[in-house]
Amino acid sequence: MDFNNRYIPMSRRRRIYEGKAKVLYEGPEPGTLIQHFKDDATAFNAKKHQIIEGKGVLNNRISEYIFQHLNDIGVPTHFIRRLNMREQLIREVEIVPLEVVVRNVAAGSLSQRLGIEEGTQLPRSIIEFYYKNDQLNDPMVSEEHITAFGWATPQEIDDIMALAIRVNDFLSGLFLGIGIRLVDFKMECGRLFENDMMRIIVADEISPDSCRLWDIKSNEKLDKDRFRRDLGGLLEAYTEVAKRLGILIEQERPAGSGPVLVKG
Ligand code: TMP
Ligand code: ASP
């Protein structure tokens, strides 16, 4: 398929879905969508809300970087390519109504629920499932609930867990390499229908909005907890993550510039 040269003016695009931090538009080809990153930051099921100018641009770039690398190591994702500062072309999938949380270090709701001090290394990585339903506040559910209510089949749960472990291993190493501890993250999966086949792939976004990222040395939080906990400096933290990943270079020089200084 040629995804490259079909520009649809913003005004004529059909909006498919609007979430708290992103909008999905109809894509240029059947089976594709455009994922647009907004500047909205929300927490506690949108009870807390603020516009943080530039957050969407950073999340678009960081999520692009992560999904492109996952594609490159053979972890299937919905990501096709980034289109512009705020948008990426993605494959249309049927979202599995689960938030899959993988934890390496105790923090957040796990610490609260079980009384484990934040920062405690867990004996092994833990996978949790939450039912995606804002009206119910995304309640935690077990595999029993998931299969009984038909949100996913046992085989799909196995596939999702295998993907979650691969994503966790990849992200842990990626962030370790830039001095960041991956405490936990949330991912979503979708069903991709292709030539009479269905497979589970990674969807949505992976960004500092959906991960806990702590600086290895200082334990400084470089993620959305800066907003949830009123710590301030969210944009600076996300910028730091992007800089360490080496993905802010393009914005730092004018497009089509001449020779680029190679750092020696
Ligand atoms: P939690 O400790 O609040 O359960 O969050 C676990 C991880 O999931 C953390 O990295 C933040 C992420 N997360 C989301 O991406 N969306 C959500 O709605 C929630 C509650 C958590
Ligand atoms: N994204 C969720 C919300 O808006 C919660 C969170 O990330 O803390 O409400």
Side-chain angles (χ1 to χ4, degrees), residues 99 101 103 107-110 130 138 184-186 209-212 228:
E99 301 208 338
V101 169
R103 301 180 187 271
S109 69
L110 178 104
Y130 295 83
D138 296 350
D184 55 34
F185 70 97
K186 184 262 303 187
D209 266 12
S210 56
C211 300
R212 280 200 177 90
R228 293 191 192 96

Side-chain angles (χ1 to χ4, degrees), residues 170-182 216 244-245:
F170 169 74
L171 288 181
S172 296
L174 172 74
F175 285 118
L176 182 64
I178 55 169
I180 291 173
R181 183 142 55 131
L182 178 68
I216 293 225
R244 289 197 202 178
L245 288 171

Side-chain angles (χ1 to χ4, degrees), residues 20 42-45 99-103 106-113 118 128 130 134 137-138 182-188 204-205 207-213 223-225 228-229:
K20 290 185 279 248
T42 66
F44 316 116
N45 203 8
E99 301 208 338
V100 183
V101 169
V102 184
R103 301 180 187 271
S109 69
L110 178 104
S111 289
Q112 279 195 341
R113 204 172 45 243
E118 284 211 319
E128 298 171 345
Y130 295 83
D134 281 341
N137 258 322
D138 296 350
L182 178 68
V183 171
D184 55 34
F185 70 97
K186 184 262 303 187
M187 64 172 222
E188 295 184 25
D204 192 53
E205 73 177 284
S207 73
D209 266 12
S210 56
C211 300
R212 280 200 177 90
L213 305 170
D223 56 63
K224 203 166 90 173
D225 271 348
R228 293 191 192 96
R229 303 181 185 195

Side-chain angles (χ1 to χ4, degrees), residues 41 52 55 209 223-224 226-227 232-239:
I52 300 180
K55 179 178 80 85
D209 266 12
D223 56 63
K224 203 166 90 173
R226 300 213 70 88
F227 169 71
L234 178 135
L235 212 59
E236 291 77 3
Y238 287 29
T239 303

Side-chain angles (χ1 to χ4, degrees), residues 162-200:
L163 282 177
I165 290 165
R166 285 198 74 191
V167 173
N168 185 48
D169 285 346
F170 169 74
L171 288 181
S172 296
L174 172 74
F175 285 118
L176 182 64
I178 55 169
I180 291 173
R181 183 142 55 131
L182 178 68
V183 171
D184 55 34
F185 70 97
K186 184 262 303 187
M187 64 172 222
E188 295 184 25
C189 293
R191 298 184 181 94
L192 180 69
F193 297 90
E194 233 176 14
N195 327 310
D196 286 346
M197 289 266 293
M198 190 276 288
R199 61 191 176 120
I200 297 281

Side-chain angles (χ1 to χ4, degrees), residues 17-22 38-43 45-46 49 134 138:
Y17 174 82
E18 177 148 11
K20 290 185 279 248
K22 296 188 293 296
K38 301 191 286 184
D39 282 339
D40 300 62
T42 66
N45 203 8
H49 178 221
D134 281 341
D138 296 350

